[in-house]
Amino acid sequence: MNTTEIQLTVATSPAWVDTVLGDFNAFLQDHADCERKASAMALSFVAKYPDRKAIIPGLIATALEELRHFQQVYRIMEKRGVPLTHELTQDPYIRQLLSLCRTGRDERLLDRLLIAAVVECRGAERFRLVADALQDARLKDFYRRLYESEVNHGNVYLEMARCYFEEQQIHQRVHELVAQEGIILDALPLRPALH
C-alpha cells in the first residue's frame, strides 16, 4: 500500500460515504469536474511559474494524468447515462484552502504546492473509502487505482516544494495547512462530492 508523508488531522466521516453512495451519479459528476480542475491547476503552475524549470516536467505529467482520469470517469458516466455538469462550479473546500495562501510570490508558490499535496491526500483517503464501500467490482478496482494515484500526486507536489524550499519550512507550513484543512472539512455540509 502506498503512503504519503502528509498526515491528515481529521478523518472523513462514514456519513460522507453514505451520502456518496446515496447519489453516486452526482458524485461521478463532481468527480469528473474535480479531475478537470486538477489538470487545469497543474497547468496553471506552469503558466504562473515558467521560471521554476525543475517542476515543469512533473506538472505537465500530473496534468496529463489528471486529464486521463477525467477521461476514465467520463467513460463510466457515459455507460451510466450521466451527463457532465454544464459549468464548473467553485468548490467551497478548495476556495477556503486557497484563501490561506500568503501573498508573496515565493510564499504563494509554497502554499499552493502544499495545498495541492493536501488536497491530493484528502482525495486519496476518500477514494479508498469509496472503493471499500462499492459493491461493483470494476468500480471498486477503479477507485482503488485512483487512491494509489492520488497518494502519488500528493508526494509529487511535496517533492516539487523541496526543489525550492527548505525541509523545515515545508514541514512547518504543512502542519499549519493540515490543521486548517481539518477545520474546513469539519464545517462543510455533507454532499455527494469529493470535497
Side-chain angles (χ1 to χ4, degrees):
M1 183 187 331
N2 292 320
T3 58
T4 182
E5 299 174 53
I6 294 177
Q7 300 300 312
L8 300 171
T9 59
V10 172
T12 290
S13 160
W16 174 82
V17 179
D18 294 339
T19 302
V20 167
L21 295 181
D23 193 351
F24 196 70
N25 287 346
F27 175 74
L28 286 171
Q29 288 177 313
D30 179 76
H31 179 187
D33 288 351
C34 287
E35 297 293 359
R36 288 193 280 177
K37 291 174 189 175
S39 181
M41 183 195 67
L43 291 178
S44 77
F45 280 108
V46 176
K48 290 176 182 166
Y49 299 95
D51 56 321
R52 304 299 178 121
K53 294 180 181 176
I55 63 175
I56 289 177
L59 290 167
I60 294 169
T62 300
L64 289 170
E65 188 169 359
E66 300 285 18
L67 197 55
R68 278 193 298 277
H69 293 165
F70 166 62
Q71 182 182 47
Q72 292 165 345
V73 176
Y74 181 66
R75 285 181 184 146
I76 292 168
M77 292 169 68
E78 272 189 312
K79 287 178 184 173
R80 295 169 68 102
V82 179
L84 289 170
T85 57
H86 286 285
E87 61 181 76
L88 293 176
T89 57
Q90 197 171 36
D91 185 321
Y93 168 81
I94 299 294
R95 185 182 70 242
Q96 290 180 62
L97 281 175
L98 289 177
S99 74
L100 302 173
C101 284
R102 295 168 292 178
T103 56
R105 188 168 193 270
D106 286 344
E107 291 84 1
R108 187 166 182 78
L109 172 60
L110 176 61
D111 287 355
R112 289 205 55 202
L113 288 170
L114 297 182
I115 286 169
V118 170
V119 169
E120 296 288 347
C121 291
R122 180 60 69 187
E125 180 224 24
R126 289 192 159 187
F127 285 150
R128 183 182 48 77
L129 292 171
V130 168
D132 290 348
L134 286 168
Q135 299 300 313
D136 182 291
R138 287 185 181 178
L139 282 176
K140 185 182 277 288
D141 181 61
F142 174 64
Y143 279 99
R144 279 194 182 126
R145 284 184 281 115
L146 281 182
Y147 155 71
E148 293 173 2
S149 178
E150 296 293 292
V151 168
N152 181 57
H153 289 167
N155 290 331
V156 164
Y157 279 114
L158 277 178
E159 287 304 314
M160 289 181 192
R162 288 186 176 112
C163 291
Y164 298 105
F165 301 97
E166 297 294 325
E167 193 68 36
Q168 183 178 355
Q169 186 182 12
I170 293 169
H171 179 76
Q172 179 182 341
R173 190 59 177 153
V174 164
H175 182 74
E176 294 166 358
L177 291 171
V178 166
Q180 288 299 309
E181 189 267 355
I183 293 168
I184 290 167
L185 191 79
D186 264 350
L188 290 172
L190 292 175
R191 59 193 189 106
L194 186 57
H195 308 122

